[in-house]
Amino acid sequence: EADIYQTPRYLVIGTGKKITLECSQTMGHDKMYWYQQDPGMELHLIHYSYGVNSTEKGDLSSESTVSRIRTEHFPLTLESARPSHTSQYLCASSAMLLAGTDNEQFFGPGTRLTVL
Amino acid sequence: AQSVTQLDSQVPVFEEAPVELRCNYSSSVSVYLFWYVQYPNQGLQLLLKYLSGSTLVKGINGFEAEFNKSQTSFHLRKPSVHISDTAEYFCAVSGVGSQGNLIFGKGTKLSVKP
């Protein structure tokens, strides 16, 4: 079944740790995204990718980095986690835009990160 | 550039009552419009989308939305809600011909009470 997966679902870590949030999709989508979501706030796009070896920064500045070595995999890394990074992180994917088509995005279940 | 305003942060309603969740957008170009639903501890799921054509769009779970270009609105409606509709609802917009990134509203929490 075509889907999008995120691991871990929940993560509690101490300040200064390096972490990687995993995201994989089996839909063959070229475009992938990372959003940060805080309670009562809109989703903020922090990174996106058009395909392999493509990474772009989103609308919200983030200290995280991403990589896209394989089409299906788009991990997000924080080199040194801080309490200000506590949030929910959502991964999404969409088919590459063609003329006249829309940008329906498919979302993973999210990773809730708590940094102590 | 586009922006989205969801006018109500919380909407409490009794079971079997009708509900309307309001969404207004601004854009200098034509738009695609989306409504997503997020249940607790889950990702977002597409409810419905407007691309072109008929301004009344029907989605999953009995929801529908009407695109009103003159009022730049895309309000979501359901004639009779269930307890299971309790969730957060997000309106989103992207510009036609743009690179396709979605701009989301802040969300509306719908609470359905028995």
Side-chain angles (χ1 to χ4, degrees):
Chain A
E1 180 182 329
D3 210 338
I4 180 164
Y5 306 93
Q6 289 186 244
T7 57
R9 291 293 316 278
Y10 303 91
L11 180 61
V12 181
I13 59 166
T15 297
K17 300 291 186 184
K18 177 180 178 178
I19 60 164
T20 297
L21 307 184
E22 301 288 347
C23 176
S24 294
Q25 51 96 5
T26 58
M27 293 176 280
H29 286 164
D30 288 312
K31 205 166 177 189
M32 295 188 74
Y33 314 78
W34 276 103
Y35 291 90
Q36 188 171 334
Q37 182 185 27
D38 294 311
M41 301 294 290
E42 62 266 53
L43 279 72
H44 288 290
L45 181 66
I46 52 175
H47 298 284
Y48 61 100
S49 165
Y50 288 106
V52 172
N53 294 326
S54 157
T55 60
E56 305 285 343
K57 290 191 180 298
D59 306 319
L60 181 68
S61 174
S62 173
E63 293 167 345
S64 59
T65 59
V66 292
S67 62
R68 190 90 183 271
I69 299 172
R70 302 196 317 265
T71 298
E72 63 272 22
H73 193 215
F74 192 42
L76 181 146
T77 297
L78 277 166
E79 289 294 331
S80 179
R82 295 206 298 268
S84 60
H85 296 138
T86 294
S87 188
Q88 166 137 290
Y89 294 84
L90 291 169
C91 181
S93 70
S94 66
M96 183 61 82
L97 274 185
L98 300 172
T101 64
D102 65 285
N103 184 31
E104 178 181 347
Q105 295 182 18
F106 296 81
F107 284 80
T111 294
R112 187 165 292 282
L113 173 65
T114 303
V115 184
L116 304 175
Chain B
Q2 291 80 42
S3 68
V4 176
T5 302
Q6 291 185 243
L7 297 157
D8 306 298
S9 60
Q10 297 189 52
V11 173
V13 65
F14 286 106
E15 194 173 19
E16 297 183 8
V19 71
E20 178 180 82
L21 307 184
R22 297 180 292 169
C23 173
N24 286 92
Y25 69 93
S26 69
S27 176
S28 55
V29 300
S30 297
V31 294
Y32 298 130
L33 291 157
F34 305 80
W35 274 101
Y36 283 85
V37 60
Q38 185 179 33
Y39 298 103
N41 299 315
Q42 294 187 28
L44 276 67
Q45 178 185 2
L46 183 71
L47 270 180
L48 48 79
K49 60 184 177 183
Y50 171 79
L51 307 181
S52 64
S54 172
T55 57
L56 184 63
V57 180
K58 293 191 183 296
I60 62 171
N61 301 341
F63 284 92
E64 63 181 33
E66 185 150 22
F67 170 57
N68 187 319
K69 188 175 181 179
S70 62
Q71 297 187 1
T72 60
S73 68
F74 191 53
H75 300 333
L76 181 71
R77 302 185 184 100
K78 186 169 182 178
S80 175
V81 294
H82 303 291
I83 299 286
S84 58
D85 292 322
T86 295
E88 188 142 22
Y89 293 79
F90 291 91
C91 182
V93 63
S94 72
V96 174
S98 72
Q99 62 183 322
N101 290 343
L102 292 180
I103 306 298
F104 285 86
K106 290 188 177 184
T108 297
K109 273 193 186 161
L110 175 64
S111 299
V112 181
K113 304 176 188 304

